[in-house]
Amino acid sequence: MHEFQSRVVSQETHLSRARASIKQTLSWYTYLRKSGHLSSKPDLASLIKPQIEILNATLHKLDSNLIKIAAFGLVSRGKSAVLNSLLGEKILETGPLNGVTQWPRSLRWQPGTKVCVELIDTPGLDEINGEARGEMARMVAQQADLILFVVSGDITKTEYQALLELRQAQKPLILVFNKIDLYPDRDKNTIYHNLQVLGATTESQQPLLPDEIVMVSAEPAPMEVRVEYADGRISYEWETPKPQVQELKQTILNILNREGRSLLALNALVQARESEAIMAEKTLHFRQQEAEELIWRFCKYKALVIALNPIAVLDVIGGLITDLALIRSLARLYSLPMTSYEATRLLKTILLSSGGLLLSEIASNLVLGMGKSAAAVAGESSINITTFAGGALAQSGVASYGAYAVGKAAQLYLENGCSWGRLGANTVIEEILTQAEKNTILYRLKQKIK
């Protein structure tokens, strides 16, 4: 009981953190729009508007506690039949002809969990106009929290390629082996074990676990049965067996109850991270020239300030303050969120990840600054003035290089959507994955999403 309550609290925490992360990003862009920062750049505003809409839709999905489960597969594999059997009624059209489903269709399912569930039926991945349908499939996969990939026997080359492409969406996936009523038990078990191996992720290369592959018979073929009457008459009639989908339904329910809201939070953050990265990329490209000019301007400022300052300790402090100001200025230029706290953390990360190169700049500034300070204190003789000027010139060169290196490193960070703050998408994703228990879908997604 305690474990169950702990799991519930953990899932609610993940949802709350995901909401806060997306709200923070949206509030930043709302501020920019209201302040006129974006309205003065209408071309840029139009470039990032679609991603803002995606973030709003993602936040609404979180607020609605809505889990989306999408069924994919080639034509005639029984995707619609699988979803009908989960719903318990035949709502989606099925039939022997290829391509019965022409466009994605969503239906609400009430399986008795604390989350709302939406089932999404999709067209076959190998139908005519496949390129357009492939793009549509990618869009649906991005919105989905759980994917059902339906096959009806050994995987074909086309199916295997489609499966690999769907796994790139970084979503949990259940391989559904449908139409098992058409196979003898021996053949059915052989195919099942083959699917376990072929369906494995490229990262782990481990066979699929029981909750990652399920055998069903969503729409069993009619069977001829022998009927004996009391008067001795014998007749043969056709009878349609009941669907065999209870194992799939139970597998889905176990996942939703165990980690459904955490999956919802994680998928929302992954999508938010992608949107932030796209916005960052478009903004950086739009303002590349301005950014270069800004970096060089700060290089000159830093070189000049440190060259003229006679106190060694202030050289180091002034250099760090200038670097922080450069990072914040770049973020404002790119219309990307960056607090003072995040700027300080970023500068620390840049300094430590530079292999000591930028840390040596600080040490050089301190050593050269001390020599420059000693020359300034000693007096105004020609030797002291020359010593001061030489130290100042050397310091300005080192400082200018350091500012340029910090500026370029900050650009790389901002290209990733500035998503590593306390509420950044990457930070919260890391939290959720770190807390994932073994033998869960979340745990198996860990390496892929990182």
Side-chain angles (χ1 to χ4, degrees), residues 33-183:
R33 188 170 59 250
K34 289 182 178 179
S35 66
H37 194 86
L38 285 179
S39 59
S40 63
K41 302 283 185 180
D43 291 342
L44 178 58
S46 64
L47 284 174
I48 66 175
K49 183 179 179 181
Q51 303 308 318
I52 298 294
E53 292 173 351
I54 289 175
L55 287 173
N56 276 312
T58 304
L59 182 60
H60 176 72
K61 187 166 172 281
L62 282 178
D63 291 337
S64 303
N65 247 6
L66 179 63
I67 292 278
K68 294 189 176 186
I69 302 176
F72 292 95
L74 305 192
V75 295
S76 302
R77 296 313 192 255
K79 299 181 297 297
S80 301
V82 168
L83 298 185
N84 280 336
S85 60
L86 289 175
L87 292 165
E89 54 183 318
K90 189 170 182 177
I91 297 176
L92 298 167
E93 184 181 357
T94 62
L97 299 177
N98 289 349
V100 172
T101 302
Q102 296 296 313
W103 57 84
R105 183 177 176 186
S106 301
L107 296 168
R108 285 299 177 97
W109 182 35
Q110 297 178 325
T113 63
K114 290 188 177 182
V115 294
C116 301
V117 180
E118 183 177 285
L119 300 177
I120 306 174
D121 193 19
T122 63
L125 295 173
D126 58 337
E127 292 184 68
I128 301 173
N129 300 325
E131 186 175 339
R133 293 185 189 279
E135 180 60 31
M136 182 170 53
R138 282 186 286 274
M139 291 177 63
V140 173
Q142 284 183 339
Q143 299 170 14
D145 301 290
L146 178 64
I147 292 174
L148 306 180
F149 190 78
V150 182
V151 299
S152 58
D154 283 318
I155 290 183
T156 66
K157 183 177 180 180
T158 304
E159 278 176 317
Y160 184 68
Q161 187 60 42
L163 178 61
L164 292 180
E165 290 176 2
L166 282 173
R167 286 202 182 279
Q168 293 177 6
Q170 299 179 340
K171 304 295 175 69
L173 186 147
I174 299 176
L175 191 59
V176 181
F177 176 16
N178 188 25
K179 303 186 181 183
I180 59 172
D181 56 299
L182 302 180
Y183 298 92

Side-chain angles (χ1 to χ4, degrees), residues 214-289:
V214 180
M215 293 193 291
V216 304
S217 179
E219 200 172 54
M223 297 176 59
E224 189 177 31
V225 295
R226 186 172 184 266
V227 181
E228 296 183 5
Y229 295 94
D231 60 4
R233 287 183 301 110
I234 297 176
S235 68
Y236 293 87
E237 298 177 3
W238 289 94
E239 183 178 288
T240 301
K242 292 183 178 179
Q244 302 174 41
V245 293
Q246 191 56 39
E247 184 182 350
L248 175 60
K249 183 176 181 180
Q250 193 57 53
T251 298
I252 293 173
L253 289 177
N254 290 341
I255 292 172
L256 295 184
N257 288 325
R258 184 182 66 211
E259 50 191 315
R261 280 160 290 175
S262 294
L263 272 176
L264 177 60
L266 182 65
N267 290 333
L269 288 166
V270 169
Q271 190 158 12
R273 178 174 67 179
E274 291 174 359
S275 292
E276 290 177 26
I278 291 172
M279 288 190 290
E281 180 185 1
K282 292 183 180 298
T283 308
L284 262 66
H285 180 74
F286 190 83
R287 291 189 163 155
Q288 184 65 34
Q289 184 60 38

